[in-house]
Amino acid sequence: MPLIVQKFGGTSVADTQKILGAARKAIRAAQAGNQVVLVVSAMGKTTDHLIALAEELTDHPSSREMDMLMSSGEQVTIALMAIALESLGYKAVSMTGAQLGIKTDNSHMKARIRSISTDRMKKALGEGNIVIAAGFQGIDDNGDITTLGRGGSDTSAVALAAALGADECEIYTDVDGVYTTDPRLLPEARKVAQISYDEMLELASLGAGVMHSRSIEFAKKFGVAVHVRNSASDVPGTLIIETPESDTAVSGAAIEKQEARLTLVGVPDKPGIAMHLFSEIAEAKIPTDMIVQNVGQDDRTDISFTVPSADLPATLEVLQTVADEIGAEKVECQENVAKVSVVGLEMEQQGGVAKQMFRAISQQGINIDIITTSEIKISALVSRDDGLATLRAVHGAFGLEKAPKKIKSRPKQKSAPSLKRKLAESGVMDVSRLSGMEDILIETILLNRTESQISLANVPDIPGVAAEVFEKIAAVNIVVDMIVQSCGRNGKAIITFTVPRKSLEKTLEVTRKLAKKWKSDEPLYNPAIAILSVRGTGLRSHTELAYRMFKTLADSGINVNVVSTSERNIAITVDDASGEKGLKLLQKEFANEMM
Ligand code: ADP
Ligand code: ASP
Ligand code: MG
């Protein structure tokens, strides 16, 4: 019998009428011959209210008790949903995380699922019940209730679908599907019919709150087809799958306003320092993004990165300790920032996405503090007040409001075997090889020795500078790969990027002219760098991964230059001479996680 998982978010179960509406959808699926598992969130804004209550008492509630408190929201909904179904004449049984057999680690408020035992659910389904599962919660080895992080019911739903081998996972919410950006922020946003796991994972991780990013890790790892749709209608929504039909250079844009920038100023420029910093941050399970390290001056460098605003106090604590230990000058932090990103699988093959994005932003007179890129995304950090205007400008620049045109000359690529197939072949599908369902899984580790690295230091920190650099380079048909711009100091910024070695001379010619015009420093360059990249799923959200890369290299005296992170790829540049050695070291370090 086919099995379907249906998840209803907070607004879709906000009152008893809506609960009845959701119950009717479940009944229809059951009448169509499916076994049905319903996953529900807390009603409406219940979770927010519960958090506010705790905050009335203290600024620092213990996270164990917060989990006890927050998980109560979902428990109310499952009971009401079961009562609703029974009132409509259907057999139903509600289950908490513990009753569902959802085992997690013990990191309260951001727990990861280790295993799901499906026996009890299967028995209840076999007896003709609709099973109603509490989203967002699990239980650790001590028997304590844990929660998966805000928005985590999506992850419960997809994880249950994976564990039960469901045929589909429907995510019912308050919009028609996944849009090119948040339709509540930009009314011109367009619903997309299909989107790939990689793009959705990246968008979700960069601020598209429609899906909890970790749910997409599950979907990709276990090949779960996810259908995001509106609980108030029957219109088809968005399918999240491995390979969508149409590809455009940019598939969506996202904004993250709840992010803060931190800078460690005046760090001694020695191997191992970044490693030390990020090991401490990884220890605290704080996800970092937009890591930029300035080219050293007077043997000192600055390291900047962003963290979710909620993690700012904890990060500041870590950073202050590290600053004292390593003799850094000071710690700076900026809270009023917003990160705007564009994401697209085809970006790699489409030179010029960067310049288009930077130009669109500069045309609004908006300055970019930090730029980071990866193969499938570009992010720009701007002041929070400029966030929405930046998002609108970028969304418009790529014509995301219009139905997509097919890319004309899409380079032929050998299609990679789906992750699900590869997993099945390597025997990982039963997760017996992994100690936990959410463990890191690495597909490959690559060494690229075809690039040069160029840095433009002391360029004016004003709108339009990055746009001009990448327009001039694109004008001579050079494809730029990794780009980072670090935040300005004394009105000056540093832009670093890589180009193919054969294009170095031409790039230097172009950039020397710009340096002269701006009276900035002569371009600094390294003619032969190596790029080491680790590719897999959910890499950025597994905070320890980047740290392990740094540590592995630093322990062997290899210095890391530029870092670029996405959920499916973490790349770093090192000296060419260290490339082969670095590759071997990383292969050894990650042998257990390789599929
Ligand atoms: P639920 O309670 O159902 O889980 P959420 O509030 O978590 O609902 O997610 C739905 C919301 O996500 C939408 O109301 C929308 O404002 C927001 N959102 C952000 N980015 C996107 C996007 N790219 N597409 C659709 N919705 C988005
Ligand atoms: N109720 C939880 C929250 O509000 C989980 C969820 O809705 O996904 O974050
Ligand atoms: Mg949600």
Side-chain angles (χ1 to χ4, degrees), residues 224-290:
V224 179
V226 178
H227 187 179
V228 183
R229 51 196 311 190
N230 199 324
S231 58
S233 78
D234 286 321
V235 295
T238 302
L239 270 185
I240 309 174
I241 46 177
E242 179 79 31
T243 327
E245 269 157 24
S246 105
D247 293 295
T248 46
V250 172
S251 61
I255 182 165
E256 182 55 79
K257 287 191 198 151
Q258 303 305 322
E259 192 138 290
R261 171 181 67 81
L262 292 129
T263 303
L264 199 53
V265 181
V267 180
D269 192 10
K270 293 190 296 231
I273 295 280
M275 183 279 289
H276 180 60
L277 169 63
F278 290 106
S279 77
E280 297 294 315
I281 293 175
E283 189 76 19
K285 291 213 156 78
I286 298 168
T288 51
D289 192 23
M290 300 198 90

Side-chain angles (χ1 to χ4, degrees), residues 7 9-11 154 172-175 177-179 181-184 208-210:
K7 178 254 171 181
T11 39
D154 298 327
Y172 284 99
T173 185
D174 56 2
V175 286
V178 177
Y179 284 67
T181 197
D182 188 344
R184 291 186 206 286
V210 61

Side-chain angles (χ1 to χ4, degrees), residues 89-378:
Y90 275 77
K91 273 178 78 178
V93 54
S94 64
M95 295 188 194
T96 63
Q99 291 170 328
L100 289 162
I102 301 183
K103 279 277 181 66
T104 72
D105 63 18
N106 60 3
S107 29
H108 285 289
M109 299 177 75
K110 41 174 98 167
R112 280 187 181 271
I113 297 176
R114 304 204 66 81
S115 64
I116 298 178
S117 57
T118 53
D119 300 352
R120 189 163 173 181
M121 270 182 285
K122 283 188 175 149
K123 184 160 177 284
L125 289 167
E127 289 164 359
N129 288 290
I130 291 177
V131 169
I132 303 153
F136 183 49
Q137 54 178 265
I139 191 165
D140 70 10
D141 281 342
N142 297 325
D144 285 332
I145 298 176
T146 52
T147 63
L148 309 180
R150 293 305 306 272
S153 294
D154 298 327
T155 295
S156 310
V158 183
L160 285 173
L164 290 162
D167 298 273
E168 200 180 342
C169 181
E170 292 184 322
I171 303 288
Y172 284 99
T173 185
D174 56 2
V175 286
D176 281 350
V178 177
Y179 284 67
T180 48
T181 197
D182 188 344
R184 291 186 206 286
L185 293 179
L186 295 191
E188 66 267 36
R190 178 178 49 82
K191 187 185 89 181
V192 298
Q194 299 187 342
I195 189 165
S196 67
Y197 293 133
D198 281 325
E199 286 161 315
M200 190 66 237
L201 178 54
E202 202 57 29
L203 282 168
S205 154
L206 293 169
V210 61
M211 291 296 291
H212 195 234
S213 77
R214 280 163 46 199
S215 68
I216 311 300
E217 288 180 38
F218 270 106
K220 186 180 172 195
K221 267 195 205 168
F222 299 99
V224 179
V226 178
H227 187 179
V228 183
R229 51 196 311 190
N230 199 324
S231 58
S233 78
D234 286 321
V235 295
T238 302
L239 270 185
I240 309 174
I241 46 177
E242 179 79 31
T243 327
E245 269 157 24
S246 105
D247 293 295
T248 46
V250 172
S251 61
I255 182 165
E256 182 55 79
K257 287 191 198 151
Q258 303 305 322
E259 192 138 290
R261 171 181 67 81
L262 292 129
T263 303
L264 199 53
V265 181
V267 180
D269 192 10
K270 293 190 296 231
I273 295 280
M275 183 279 289
H276 180 60
L277 169 63
F278 290 106
S279 77
E280 297 294 315
I281 293 175
E283 189 76 19
K285 291 213 156 78
I286 298 168
T288 51
D289 192 23
M290 300 198 90
I291 302 171
V292 296
Q293 180 167 359
N294 284 350
V295 185
Q297 278 173 339
D298 312 323
D299 294 330
R300 298 249 159 190
T301 86
D302 298 346
I303 301 177
S304 298
F305 56 93
T306 60
V307 298
S309 300
D311 289 319
L312 182 59
T315 317
L316 275 172
E317 232 168 81
V318 171
L319 224 53
Q320 201 50 63
T321 318
V322 172
D324 295 343
E325 279 165 13
I326 62 176
E329 279 160 29
K330 60 177 173 181
V331 174
E332 276 179 6
C333 115
Q334 199 187 352
E335 278 191 81
N336 55 344
V337 292
K339 176 174 72 183
V340 174
S341 312
V342 297
V343 170
L345 272 189
E346 297 295 315
M347 212 177 257
E348 303 181 78
Q349 279 98 35
Q350 299 277 302
V353 171
K355 69 166 192 194
Q356 239 179 305
M357 174 169 177
F358 304 152
R359 180 54 73 200
I361 298 173
S362 76
Q363 275 168 350
Q364 304 300 312
I366 294 168
N367 198 30
I368 308 175
D369 282 339
I370 297 184
I371 295 168
T372 53
T373 67
S374 80
E375 13 72 85
I376 61 166
K377 72 113 203 288
I378 302 176

Side-chain angles (χ1 to χ4, degrees), residues 59 85 165 196 243 255 275 345 379 406 454 504 516 562:
D59 286 342
L85 280 162
S196 67
T243 327
I255 182 165
M275 183 279 289
L345 272 189
S379 298
K406 280 260 189 193
I454 301 182
L504 175 64
K516 207 172 210 173
V562 177

